[in-house]
Amino acid sequence: MISDLSQLEVREIQLERVTLQFHNPISTFHGPLTTRDVIILTASDASGNLGFGEAAPLAGFTPETLQEVENALSEWARDSDPGHLTGRPTAQAAVDAALLDLASQIAGRPLHDLINPGSPSVLPVSALINGQTPEEAAESAGAAVDAGYKTVKLKVGLLSFSEDIARVAAVRTAVGDTKFRVDANGAWRPTEAIDHLTRLNRYHLEFIEEPVRGLEALAAVRANSPVPVASDESVRTIDDLHRAIKLGSADIVVLKPSALGGPQLTAAAAQVAIDAGLPVVLTSLLESSVGIRSTAHLASALGALDPAPGLATATLLATDSGTPFLPIDGQLHLG
Ligand SMILES: [Mg+2]
């Protein structure tokens, strides 16, 4: 993508642990998330240019602990041997994002434009709506539409299906013909997923993320689902992606640069998906605005804008790192 990152003359690397807090608990693959710790990596050159990256390991999603990531980054900072980052995708992501950001600062151009000249500086993003009851979900969804979002997303699978379908129905009524996707985070059993999706089909969903866990189960569900199926947690590496394509596990592929190993690996993965005819949705890993900003630049550079990227998640944070990167009128503006 950018071939000369190794030529950057990095003078100093700084690592800082930051605790992020969410306004409300976020439901994930492995339970609710209220706070999390991340590491912000700052790379500087002799002229005072700064590049920022973020390592945001997420238990149950990425393979490393925060301590392992911090150790790997400290060792890399000492001798810049990329071997220290092997098997540490969130550390790799921090390094790659920071060096790309530094290259963009040195070039005096926004990163998206450095990677792909002329790529857009404004991109639409989807809003994650909350609410345990149909009324709460409808209120949250209506507020998102009023705020300018053209795509909304609701988590399902934590409540009974009858509660979920009531929430989906209420959101559909609240948002009119706004694009509406749901995410089950792998919560449903393969035996029930088809029936659930058949019943959800009347609400004209854009897609469902991870109705079930695992690439084989996703392939079996997708083969009979009236709702397009997106992979997310089941694709954690490029090898997983190749297997997903071979098995027919997904109509759409969600990719998280902060989990996969950074912008450049994600660009390669996105190309694999696009070559297989699968649209790519870039999303955050519920990290701070440092990581979100990097992924937004990549989404623009790759033209991965429809379906809308899942990058409105700084709105969920009560404490962030750096300047909060918040959508305006449902869109992120890349400086
Ligand atoms: Mg998801």
Side-chain angles (χ1 to χ4, degrees):
M1 187 162 70
I2 290 179
S3 56
D4 60 351
L5 281 185
S6 61
Q7 317 272 303
L8 290 174
E9 293 190 4
V10 177
R11 193 185 62 174
E12 193 184 1
I13 301 289
Q14 288 186 320
L15 304 175
E16 184 192 3
R17 275 196 190 207
V18 175
T19 299
L20 308 178
Q21 290 187 313
F22 294 95
H23 289 295
N24 299 297
I26 311 296
S27 61
T28 72
F29 200 53
H30 278 259
L33 196 61
T34 51
T35 70
R36 64 184 307 221
D37 290 340
V38 300
I39 297 169
I40 303 299
L41 186 158
T42 308
S44 52
D45 71 359
S47 307
N49 292 299
L50 299 175
F52 297 99
E54 178 169 3
L58 186 58
F61 198 120
T62 62
E64 335 97 306
T65 64
L66 191 73
Q67 191 59 57
E68 288 168 340
V69 169
E70 193 165 45
N71 293 346
L73 288 172
S74 297
E75 288 169 24
W76 174 81
R78 268 197 292 277
D79 63 12
S80 64
D81 176 355
H84 297 306
L85 307 175
T86 304
R88 304 279 181 257
T90 67
Q92 283 179 307
V95 168
D96 193 39
L99 296 183
L100 285 168
D101 189 24
L102 182 60
S104 127
Q105 299 305 317
I106 292 169
R109 291 166 66 184
L111 179 58
H112 72 90
D113 193 64
L114 186 64
I115 299 170
N116 183 5
S119 51
S121 61
V122 178
L123 62 157
V125 290
S126 75
L128 182 59
I129 57 183
N130 54 45
Q132 296 289 301
T133 67
E135 295 74 22
E136 288 167 357
E139 188 181 332
S140 173
V145 171
D146 289 346
Y149 290 95
K150 304 285 189 264
T151 304
V152 298
K153 166 171 158 177
L154 180 70
K155 299 265 189 173
V156 297
L158 287 175
L159 306 171
S160 71
F161 185 68
S162 59
E163 289 171 286
D164 272 343
I165 200 165
R167 292 162 73 236
V168 168
V171 169
R172 175 47 83 202
T173 301
V175 303
D177 59 6
T178 300
K179 286 182 183 164
F180 176 21
R181 62 185 70 156
V182 297
D183 187 352
N185 291 116
W188 292 337
R189 293 187 299 272
T191 47
E192 66 190 359
I194 301 296
D195 181 56
H196 290 353
L197 289 165
T198 302
R199 292 174 61 194
L200 286 173
N201 191 36
R202 61 184 293 202
Y203 300 106
H204 308 291
L205 299 174
E206 184 186 27
F207 56 79
I208 177 158
E209 291 177 36
E210 294 269 330
V212 293
R213 291 185 186 195
L215 294 176
E216 286 83 3
L218 282 172
V221 168
R222 175 181 167 250
N224 294 294
S225 172
V227 178
V229 170
S231 61
D232 187 358
E233 291 92 338
S234 294
V235 173
R236 299 176 194 218
T237 64
I238 291 199
D239 285 346
D240 290 341
L241 176 60
H242 283 291
R243 219 156 63 80
I245 291 166
K246 194 168 162 211
L247 289 168
S249 304
D251 298 290
I252 293 143
V253 179
V254 175
L255 297 176
K256 294 172 160 55
S258 291
L260 265 178
Q264 301 201 77
L265 269 171
T266 304
Q271 196 57 54
V272 168
I274 291 163
D275 288 348
L278 302 179
V280 169
V281 181
L282 296 191
T283 74
S284 78
L285 185 60
L286 300 168
E287 72 276 58
S288 83
S289 285
V290 171
I292 296 169
R293 190 176 275 107
S294 173
T295 296
H297 279 274
L298 182 66
S300 166
L302 296 176
L305 304 177
D306 184 14
L311 291 172
T313 53
T315 59
L316 308 173
L317 290 168
T319 61
D320 198 340
S321 177
T323 309
F325 191 42
L326 301 169
I328 300 165
D329 212 16
Q331 299 180 307
L332 288 173
H333 295 250
L334 305 171

